[in-house]
Structure formats: C-alpha cells, structure tokens
C-alpha cells in the first residue's frame, strides 16, 4: 500500500471504480433506523443493496451477494438468529462479513450478541465507534445508547490487537479513523463533525465498507471459496481504508454545502454519488501509524 | 380510453384530482426500507397512508381503506400471514389489492410467497420490474437481490398473458412501463434513470398505484362490494397508467433540478406534491401497444 | 410560568439550552415509519436517541435514559410487551414516559393497547391528535388510519380532564396545540399546515417532548426516584409547551423556505438544529386558556 496521500488517493479511486464497474450486491441485515439510508448509500456509490432477514431466505440471499453486512442496531432474537444463519453460509462461500457492533457496551444483551457473533463467525471487518470497539475488545470505553461516551485510551493499539485476535480488519471511526489488519495501523483523517448530528452515519460507513470489501475478494485480499481461513491482506485493508476515506471525504464536501443536518444528509448522498478520481486523489488523507 | 397523449394527460389529471378530492386511505403492509418514503409519497399526492401489519388488526384496518398495498420486500412469516389475512378481508369487501412482488426470483422463499399471494388472493394490480414479473409469470428474467438483472424478452406479451391469467392489471416498470388488463397493452414513457439510484422508487410507484386505484372503485372500474369477480376494466387500467405516468413525470421534473440521488429524492416529493393539470397534460406520454 | 409570549419564549429557550447542554438519552420504542425521522430530530435538537425494542434489553436500556417514548404506530404483540416492560422499569426509576397513542380510535387492537398502556403505566405525558386523544379519553373524535378525521368538540376540556384523570400532562396537537396538567390549559399557536403533508410530524413532536421532559426531571417538575407518584408540575408543563412551541416554530421557519413536502422535511431538520434564543423569544406563541 502506498504511503503518501497521493498514492493512497489513487488506489482508493481505483477501488471505487471497481465498485461502480462490478455493482456488487451487498446483503444487509441491519437495523430499522438506518435501512433506508444504507440502501441509498449503497446505490449512490454504484453497488446494489438487498435487505433480507427471514431465516427462510438469508442463506439463499447471501449466496448471490458480494458482501454481508451485520448490524444489530435494533436487535431481537429472530434477527440475531438470521444473522448467524446468513453468516455461517457466508463463511462457507467465502463472502466477506462486515460487522457493526451497534450499541455493544450499552446493555448485557448487546454485549452477549456481539460476543456471540465474534465467536461463531469469521468476520472480514469489524467497524464501530471507540466505545463499541472498546467494549467488544474488553478494552474499556463507555457507551450510552449507541453513542460512544468515552472512548478507548489507545485506539491504534486496540484495533491492532482485536484484529490480531479475530483475524478481521478492525476499524474505530471518529475524528480520526483507526484501521488495522493486526500488523499495520492506518489513520484516516477525512470526515466532518456534522456527521454526528445525523443518525446512522456510522452504519452508513459500515455499508460502504461492505461494498468496497466485495471488490477485494477478486483482488487477492480475501479468499473466495471454501472454509479456509481468510486473512486480512493488504487488498482488503486498502478497501476498508478507501471506503472510510471516500465516505469521510463525501462528508466534508456535503458539510461545505449544508446549512444543518437535514441538508447535510441530502448533500451527503449527492456527494457520494459524485465522488470522482480527482476529488479523491486530492482529498483522501491517510497516515501510516 | 384516449389514444392521444393529450387526451390521456387530461384523464390522468382527472384521476389525480379525484385522489386529492377524496383522500383515500391506502393501507400498506410493506417493507422496512421504504415505509417512510411510501408514506410520504402517499401524503404528497393527497391520499392518506396507514402502515399496520399486526394480525390482530389488519382486517379491521383494511375495512377503512380505499386500497391495500402488499409489498413483501422484507418479508417474514408473520408479515406474510398478515398480508393474507388483510388480503382476504379486502377481497370480501371489494377493496382493491395492489401487489408488488419485490425480489421474487431472488430466493425460493420469495418465489413461494409470490405464488401463494397470487393463488390465495384476487389481486387488482400487480406491479414489478421486468425480472420480478418474469419470475412471477414463469417467463424468465433474472433477479439479484431486488434488482432486475435481465428482463423478459417480450414485456408486452408477458403483462398481457399474466393479466389474462390472474384477472389483475399487470405492470412491468422500467425505461418504458408496460401495462395490461389482459386485452389492451399500454406503454408509458415517463420517468428518469436517476430513479434507479434511489431505493424504493419501484415501491413508491406501487403505493401511488394504490392511491389511484382507490378512486376507480367508484368509477365502475372495480366492483365495490361482495365477493363477485373484479375485472380489470378500463377505469382501472386508466388509473394504473395514470399513476405511472404522473409518477414518472414527477421523476423527470425532479431530475431536472437534482444534483444527485439525495436531492433527487427530495425534489421527487416536491414534484409529486406540485403536479398539476397543466404539467400532466403536457408531459404524460402514453402509447397503445 | 410566564403569561406573556416574551416571558414564555425566554423560558422555552432555557429548556432547549438545557437539552443541548445535557444531551439526554431518549429511549424510543416507536414505529417503523418514523424511526429515522425521530432519531434525526433527537440529534438535531442536541439530545441522543436510542431505538431498542427487544424484551431482552429494554429494561437495561431505559435505565440509562432521560426519557422513554412509547409510540405504537406499527404495533404488534411483542412490541407492546416490550413497551410495558420498559415502561414498568421507567416507572420504578422515575424516568418520565411520553406516550403517543398513534391510531388509537382506528381499530379495536389499537384501542385496547392504548387502554392497557394507560392502565398499567404511570405516564408523564400523552400527546396525540384530536381524534386519538378523543378516542383514548372516550370523548369522541374519529380516526381513520392514523389521521384525525374529526376531532373532539372541546379540546381544552378534554386535555384538562384526561390530565386530571391520568396524572399525565396531556397534549392535543393541531392548528392550535392544547396542553394541560389537569389544572391549567395552555394553547400553542406555532406550526404550519405543511406539517400535515409529511409523515411522522406528530411522532416527531412526541420525540421532541421526550427530550424536553428529560430536562424537567432535574428541575423539580418530575420526581426522579422511587415509585412515588409523579405529578405534572409546572416545570414539566413548561417543558412540554416549550417542546411544542419550538417544534412548531421550526415548522414555520422550514415552511418559509420549502417548495413542497420533500424540501420541507429537510428544512425542518435544519431549522430545529438552528433554533436559537432570539428566534424562540420572537416566535413562540403561547396563550393561557
């Protein structure tokens, strides 16, 4: 992976172009609050969303998907069960799973569900806020509702260690995003604080990661078949970093035009749709930590 | 029905005026992704939405409705059961049912559910994309997630035959919409490709059909009482065509102002709200096929 | 409480400032249609939303909340059960409950559910449209779907009597909002008719009340601990009136910029976010009835 912003921007633009060229299907078992937004984000960046949660069909649906996003933001037992069924099938097929531990740390039920997903599935990516990842990793952090009240002390260390332990790429998003495959740690400095005034902006970034990670399956980053272990190689680390950089950049572009969270949300979709090589190469900001 | 665009536009404007004058209640048992959008569309065109899915109340709720929309986009057994309960009661009362077979063709569970709804209920209208209607009709077409990957070869024939077989008016929507009552086939050439970049635009067109079809009950198009067979007569064929023409036209108006899918979605609601006789008479484009 | 608009505006601005300063967590068990909108409203005014409905966690989640909003707009038995579990725990902890009887009056199931919530929980606030509150109070009013078709004859009397009977502050919202604690009755004349063209504007006002009422717990208006009876004292009456005045005022500001319901909805979030002391002091309109 490149070490200058310019090189990174070029690679990130490549990934986005692959998403648009291949239109991967992103199967999302997600929460009621953000479903519409994450579906619209998925379309805006050129991928295809499908929301399906019935135990009767999730294994079939994930078979057609390029990635599976699991987001238990409004969890209940039937939905958790569906996530596990879909996840097991995804693991069999080599479909990468992106997990968003929404609100883990806030209630015992969310903690147990997060731990169970971690234990029973091989995850390709885990993304959350500092409090959620801290709670998932047993590294501290405080969550109230779905908000990170106080984050982990050393996010770079926490993502690296949780990645090394789980085999997933782990991302803590916030003012700076921290991403690790267990060895390298990247920081992304894109984004805008207006994102905190709109619900689901974290969930949207997870959906974006889903679309981007679907492309690295064919790029040598993630094994495409069988039950063999899938290691988070550079191709997928780059895909995750690219997703977060492009997403944060769209947030910056949107914020420059917005007059509040209502117009920001609208501008964000327009900005995602309009992202291009030029704006990404100029705007993506990555650091190797 | 008129055969020139100008005549058709006049009739379509008449239907919209009836919707606004009567404010029919459109009972929607629909998917989690689009509920907010279809409710807002329903209000924007002057009708009243109600979303209610509990088996404990759907039969009561549909009794107050002018139309029932069934959309199993995020189906699960309890919801399918509720659709059937509401549908049976709608059939008893002569409330027209509009069915949107979202994602039929994508999984066996969706195929079975689509077939079951077709078998157990008398539908007034069926609307889907080319892949979905093809799968429902056993006429080919490929669906990935909820997207039509490849459509049927001859949509005019498919809608006519499925209409003849089911007794429903059948519509395949796409670049050109094809609508048939089993005898005549109409083509609608309104719409804009930006609609493909926003989730739920198909579901929204189905909700719009629901509001428009509620008006043809009192126009001789659909029987209003009892269990007698309801034939798709010209009044209802016109209502469905009018809904799709008005909807597509609003999409064109919105696209002319939009800078991406976020602003398009906002402009679409404004355009639907602002549709008037003048714009419809000038903009509606229908052909008899 | 103040009796001039200027004094009231100053107090309402105080309440909003407390919301922004304290960022109370508003636990919402609400309907599928409006979840995204009420979450965005909650953030826009500076509070934190959390949607959680699983019986496995609602009692834990409400323990961290400053208010609990119960909105059975798309009710089903599991969700009603969760509302009761959360509500009982809220009563134990002194967390104020705001109840929105969506669609009560439309079906027997909604009537029974509304009556059950009234019977089994101590509510801090009840807010609905004229038909819903009329049905809940047994005072007439007609509801079709979730719309008030014909309201109660004397809203000031109905809110006062239902408040006196239940111990909750009761609000009927409409062109004029009527609010009572069982003794005093206030009228709020903010708002705009465009609100009727967007779904969930009533539900959003309830969520806003939730955030505002969370502040009066620490203001002597609502007891904060134990099972003792919580009387609707002036602090909370003011909080409810302030929420409705600020919300209606944001609607007026949004309507002045909107071109239809799509842009109105966007502008509403921007306006809520941008409300300030100056606009509230100038724009809030209250009357003592």
């Amino acid at each position: 992976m490149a070490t200058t912003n310019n090189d990174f921007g070029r690679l990130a633009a490549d990934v986005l172009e692959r998403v648009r060229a291949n239109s991967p299907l992103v199967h999302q078992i997600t929460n009621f609050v953000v479903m519409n937004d994450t579906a619209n984000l998925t379309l805006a960046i050129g991928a295809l969303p499908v929301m399906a949660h019935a135990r009767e069909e999730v294994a079939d649906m994930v078979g057609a998907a390029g990635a599976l996003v699991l987001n238990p933001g409004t969890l209940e037992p039937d939905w958790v069960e569906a996530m596990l069924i879909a996840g097991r099938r995804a693991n069999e097929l080599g479909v990468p799973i992106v997990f968003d531990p929404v609100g883990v740390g806030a209630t015992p039920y969310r903690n147990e569900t997060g731990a169970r997903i971690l234990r029973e599935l091989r995850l390709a990516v885990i993304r959350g806020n500092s409090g959620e990842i801290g709670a998932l990793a047993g590294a501290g952090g405080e969550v109230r509702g779905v908000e990170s009240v106080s984050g982990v002390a050393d996010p770079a260390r926490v993502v690296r260690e949780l990645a090394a332990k789980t085999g997933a790429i782990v991302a803590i998003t916030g003012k700076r995003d921290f991403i690790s495959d267990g060895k390298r740690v990247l920081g992304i400095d894109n984004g805008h604080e207006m994102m905190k005034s709109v619900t689901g902006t974290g969930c949207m970034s997870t959906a974006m990661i889903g679309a981007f990670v679907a492309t690295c399956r064919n790029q040598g980053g993630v094994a495409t078949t069988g039950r063999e272990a899938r290691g988070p190689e550079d191709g997928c680390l780059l895909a995750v970093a690219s997703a977060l950089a492009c997403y944060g950049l769209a947030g910056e572009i949107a914020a420059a035009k917005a007059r509040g969270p209502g117009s920001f949300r609208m501008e964000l979709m327009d900005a995602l749709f309009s992202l291009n090589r030029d704006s990404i190469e100029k705007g993506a900001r990555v650091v190797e930590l």
Side-chain angles (χ1 to χ4, degrees), chain A:
Chain A
M1 178 182 286
T3 50
T4 74
N5 278 322
N6 207 309
D7 284 346
F8 172 72
R10 198 156 54 235
L11 293 165
D14 288 347
V15 180
L16 177 58
E17 281 181 8
R18 278 204 298 275
V19 172
R20 288 178 177 159
N22 298 332
S23 297
L25 183 69
V26 184
H27 180 185
Q28 305 176 41
I29 308 181
T30 187
N31 71 69
F32 299 125
V33 183
V34 305
M35 259 186 217
N36 184 274
D37 287 326
T38 65
N40 272 324
L41 172 137
T42 308
L43 289 169
I45 59 168
L48 296 176
V50 67
M51 274 61 181
H53 68 282
R55 283 169 294 182
E56 286 77 5
E57 71 167 352
V58 289
D60 293 315
M61 194 62 92
V62 79
L68 173 66
V69 173
L70 301 181
N71 175 323
T74 52
L75 76 177
E76 57 179 90
D78 282 356
W79 285 65
V80 173
E81 200 55 49
M83 289 183 190
L84 292 169
I85 294 169
R88 280 180 215 118
R89 184 69 182 141
N91 277 173
E92 284 173 13
L93 298 170
V95 174
I97 303 174
V98 183
F99 175 49
D100 188 331
V102 182
V104 165
T107 67
Y109 183 51
R110 291 189 185 231
N111 297 349
E112 287 155 21
T113 301
R116 193 172 168 205
I117 286 173
L118 229 60
R119 196 169 57 236
E120 299 192 17
L121 302 176
R122 281 198 320 280
L123 304 172
V125 188
I126 305 169
R127 186 221 65 86
N129 62 37
S130 190
E132 291 161 347
I133 298 294
L136 197 69
E142 192 189 339
V143 174
R144 193 162 54 121
V146 296
E147 201 74 16
S148 178
V149 175
S150 76
V152 296
D154 183 355
R157 190 179 54 76
V158 170
V159 292
R160 196 181 56 238
E161 290 181 2
L162 186 59
K165 184 178 154 196
T166 60
I169 295 166
V170 176
I172 287 178
T173 54
K175 189 168 161 54
R176 165 171 282 182
D177 303 330
F178 296 86
I179 310 165
S180 179
D181 58 4
K183 294 171 206 158
R184 302 171 61 190
V185 181
L186 301 177
I188 303 285
D189 289 322
N190 293 104
H192 191 279
E193 67 172 4
M194 182 59 84
M195 287 166 144
K196 288 162 60 180
S197 296
V198 175
T199 195
T201 46
C203 304
M204 283 190 259
S205 74
T206 304
M208 185 123 170
I209 290 171
F212 275 51
V213 166
T215 69
C216 70
R217 283 219 290 172
N218 308 316
Q219 306 296 326
V222 169
T224 55
T225 56
R227 280 194 159 281
E228 73 235 47
R230 255 178 304 107
E233 299 170 27
D234 269 13
C236 278
L237 183 66
L238 174 66
V240 175
S242 299
L244 292 176
C246 287
Y247 182 66
L249 180 59
E252 295 168 32
I253 295 167
K257 298 181 179 176
R259 300 170 308 282
S263 47
F264 175 77
R265 184 179 173 224
M266 178 195 75
E267 297 286 354
L268 179 60
M269 289 295 169
D270 283 1
L272 287 162
F273 182 78
S274 303
L275 279 177
N276 58 37
R277 179 166 290 280
D278 186 54
S279 57
I280 297 170
E281 288 188 9
K282 281 186 187 139
R285 291 200 297 276
V286 67
V287 287
E288 183 106 30
L289 297 172

